[in-house]
Amino acid sequence: MPLKPEDLRSHRWFGREAMRTYNHRSRMAQLGYERSDYAGKPVIAILNTWSDINPCHSHFKQRVEEIKRGVIRAGGFPLELPAMSIAEPFVKPSPLLYRNLLAMEAEELLRCHPIDGAVLMGGCDKTTPGLIMGATSMGLPFAFMPAGPMLRGSFEGQTLGSGSDMFKHWAEVRAGTLSTEQWEGVLSGIARSPGHCMTMGTASTMTSAAEALGLTLPGAASIPAPDSRHALMAVATGRRIVEMVWDDLRPARILGAEAFDNAVTTVLALGGSTNALVHLIAMARRAGVMLDLDRFDMLARRTPLIANLRPAGKYLMEDFFYAGGLPALLQRLRGLLHTGAPTINGRTLGDNIAEARVFDDDVILPLDRPLVAEGSLAVLRGNLAPNGAVIKPAAAEPRFMRHRGRAVVFKDYADLQARIDAPDLEVDADSVLVLQNAGPLGGPGMPEWGQLPIPKKLLAQGVRDMLRISDCRMSGTSFGACVLHVAPEAFVGGPLALVHSGDWIEIDVAARRLHLDVGDEELARRREYWRPPEPRYVRGFGALYAQQVTQADEGCDFTLLARAGEVPEPDIY
Ligand code: FES
Ligand code: MG
């Protein structure tokens, strides 16, 4: 039974005969709207994470008009509400610090205004999980409209990928094999259109996860931002959200455990960013689904990596779109998905991908020719990471799948920067670089420092990968034998805080083991001398964050927010 106009949430603001309602009408008139423009119609919030400093969302000023057009054509009333943009390259000290602030903002924007449904406009890394977490907690019908990847990068006839090729070429600059002019050419060629990073970084990982969760229209996540089909998708999303409101199609009807299994499986098949572990766990718990690291590991053991996309593979998102995009990949993965899971267009995931086809078998690989047969992510545990840590084996040199080496410890990032290139640093190609105090509280916000730089003197010897361990994150476009998200973090006294330079560390990815080869008695003795570092913030949002944030294995959400449950609707007198 579709809703009636009197059932709309916005009716409480606009429909009743009360003094306040007249004031609302007067103020809508002040904005230039007649009563018939909005009364009795689904009022659709468009949460727009556009800003002057977010290059990934620079087309959102235009796209929001297209979404509005779709909303109006379907008989709704659109209202654009700006939300914090979190531009990944610029927001310091770490964009993750602000994901929960965006989530709170999204939730409260929807709660306090006369809104019946929402379109969420995001894509640059943290904006996708932030918006979805908030809108999920609010519980109104919503559709996610991904920013779309930018076009392929290009330099001297080579294709460049966001992040990955920046890191690669920077290593060449450091090794003295790339000129300053060439480096300038890389900088201008690597990001040459609107849209988010076009490698399988966090942005493409999370927008694809949103599609696999059923939160976008089919195919939305793969369309390059400047493509005219992206504009058409915006219009279609605007139309659809109006129908969703009439159908009362709330996130609670879409976001079950099966949807999250689908999202995790999709991320694994894409070779997606390790950031997805933190974000999907946080998103799931907002929906009341207790997703954990073990579930990732379990699904990783059976999911082949079949997207031949950088950094694990060869191609970029533009190629992926031409090869059929996410629906084609999901079709190939069908046997591993819960195809009965509902999606926002009112059909199941299985229905949505039924007609999808792969147009290039080298971009979306057949199941019997995967890039990695299984285990594209692995969750490690041991005395160094009792609550888990993660590695992306596909992005590492195979010799680090089983390795023993001596720790070279940096107590924080400043220490790392000060000493990593020192000629007298005691380090060789088998050493294990360890970074402490870079976690959720220590970073703060788990900055993407997990791909610790290779010491210059080893670079000069041709070393391009080393085993690295930290409690921070790594950009989804990074690569290397990097053990990340060590929980609990050093800053709160996790065992990572107790490692000394010269200690032996062992990793065995097949056994999912990360071990600090120091006796329990010695560790207990070191713990007695450990003192918690000074808090990073004493006031402001940082202090609130420090009080509330959970560890990486729990999604780094705020304790107060990290559960399903209701906040009362505002009273309107
Ligand atoms: Fe925005 Fe990478 S910088 S997605
Ligand atoms: Mg990133």
Side-chain angles (χ1 to χ4, degrees), residues 200-520:
M200 188 40 70
T202 306
S204 302
T205 301
M206 294 313 300
T207 57
S208 301
E211 182 168 334
L213 283 168
L215 297 177
T216 74
L217 290 181
S222 314
I223 311 170
D227 195 295
S228 58
R229 284 162 285 190
H230 194 265
L232 292 169
M233 183 58 77
V235 177
T237 302
R239 293 182 70 95
R240 178 58 197 157
I241 184 61
V242 177
E243 297 164 359
M244 286 174 68
V245 169
W246 290 127
D247 291 345
D248 204 24
L249 184 48
R250 291 168 183 265
R253 284 168 57 192
I254 293 168
L255 295 177
E258 294 196 338
F260 281 96
D261 274 359
N262 286 342
V264 173
T265 300
T266 301
V267 166
L268 293 163
L270 288 169
S273 163
T274 41
N275 277 301
L277 287 105
V278 175
H279 296 321
L280 283 172
I281 287 173
M283 288 157 66
R285 293 180 184 200
R286 293 293 186 106
V289 173
M290 285 309 287
L291 182 63
D292 61 18
L293 291 178
D294 291 335
R295 191 76 190 157
F296 274 85
D297 195 71
M298 202 279 262
L299 294 169
R301 287 173 190 269
R302 62 160 218 208
T303 307
L305 198 177
I306 57 168
N308 192 2
L309 298 172
R310 298 186 198 185
K314 180 171 165 196
Y315 296 99
L316 296 173
M317 287 302 287
E318 191 178 343
D319 308 296
F320 185 64
F321 177 58
Y322 303 145
L326 193 69
L329 177 127
L330 296 179
Q331 171 63 357
R332 213 150 247 191
L333 217 56
R334 206 182 167 90
L336 296 178
L337 297 172
H338 302 286
T339 49
T343 76
I344 61 158
N345 70 352
R347 303 175 1 137
T348 64
L349 186 72
D351 293 337
N352 287 341
I353 61 177
E355 307 293 318
R357 280 192 302 137
V358 173
F359 302 110
D360 188 336
D361 278 335
D362 197 41
V363 178
I364 301 174
L365 301 164
L367 291 177
D368 59 358
R369 242 183 344 102
L371 213 54
V372 183
E374 56 100 40
S376 61
L377 279 181
V379 174
L380 309 174
R381 288 180 201 273
N383 67 348
L384 197 45
N387 295 343
V390 61
I391 187 170
K392 209 167 162 180
E397 283 181 10
R399 71 190 187 99
F400 295 113
M401 294 305 94
R402 208 170 156 185
H403 183 77
R404 180 177 159 89
R406 280 186 185 272
V408 179
V409 178
F410 302 94
K411 71 175 175 6
D412 55 28
Y413 193 65
D415 182 33
L416 171 87
Q417 288 207 303
R419 293 195 296 124
I420 188 77
D421 290 333
D424 61 346
L425 183 72
E426 275 185 51
V427 67
D428 62 37
D430 287 330
S431 302
V432 182
L433 303 178
V434 174
L435 173 63
Q436 300 168 329
N437 295 313
L441 285 153
M446 299 177 82
E448 292 184 335
W449 296 331
Q451 184 189 235
L452 312 193
I454 311 282
K456 228 176 198 167
K457 63 179 178 189
L458 297 182
L459 276 179
Q461 294 166 22
V463 176
R464 290 292 182 270
D465 198 5
M466 292 177 73
L467 184 60
R468 298 161 252 187
I469 301 176
S470 71
D471 46 13
C472 54
R473 292 172 297 126
M474 174 170 94
S475 159
T477 59
S478 300
F479 46 87
C482 306
V483 176
L484 311 158
H485 307 191
V486 168
E489 65 178 310
F491 199 84
V492 299
L496 187 68
L498 308 179
V499 184
H500 289 178
S501 285
D503 289 348
W504 287 99
I505 291 178
E506 294 169 7
I507 187 172
D508 183 345
V509 174
R512 300 296 192 262
R513 180 162 176 270
L514 182 66
H515 181 70
L516 175 64
D517 198 2
V518 173
D520 290 344

Side-chain angles (χ1 to χ4, degrees), residues 54-56 87-89 123-125 150 162 195-197 203:
N54 195 333
C56 308
E88 186 73 16
C124 190
D125 294 14
M150 64 178 107
S162 314
H196 60 67
C197 293

Side-chain angles (χ1 to χ4, degrees), residues 10-44:
S10 59
H11 183 79
R12 297 178 57 229
W13 275 261
F14 295 135
R16 297 177 311 159
E17 301 300 324
M19 199 273 283
R20 283 284 168 229
T21 319
Y22 291 113
N23 186 45
H24 297 152
R25 278 169 55 189
S26 152
R27 294 304 182 152
M28 290 302 280
Q30 184 183 8
L31 285 163
Y33 298 116
E34 290 175 8
R35 194 174 189 191
S36 61
D37 287 334
Y38 56 87
K41 294 180 172 180
V43 178
I44 305 302

Side-chain angles (χ1 to χ4, degrees), residues 134-188:
T136 299
S137 291
M138 183 54 203
L140 295 175
F142 74 85
F144 184 73
M145 177 64 209
M150 64 178 107
L151 300 176
R152 290 184 201 101
S154 135
F155 166 69
E156 292 187 347
Q158 313 163 39
T159 298
L160 295 182
S162 314
S164 314
D165 279 300
M166 185 74 78
F167 304 134
K168 240 176 226 163
H169 287 88
W170 179 238
E172 300 306 324
V173 172
R174 279 163 50 87
T177 49
L178 195 82
S179 75
T180 314
E181 296 72 44
Q182 285 177 307
W183 178 233
E184 288 298 324
V186 170
L187 296 187
S188 57

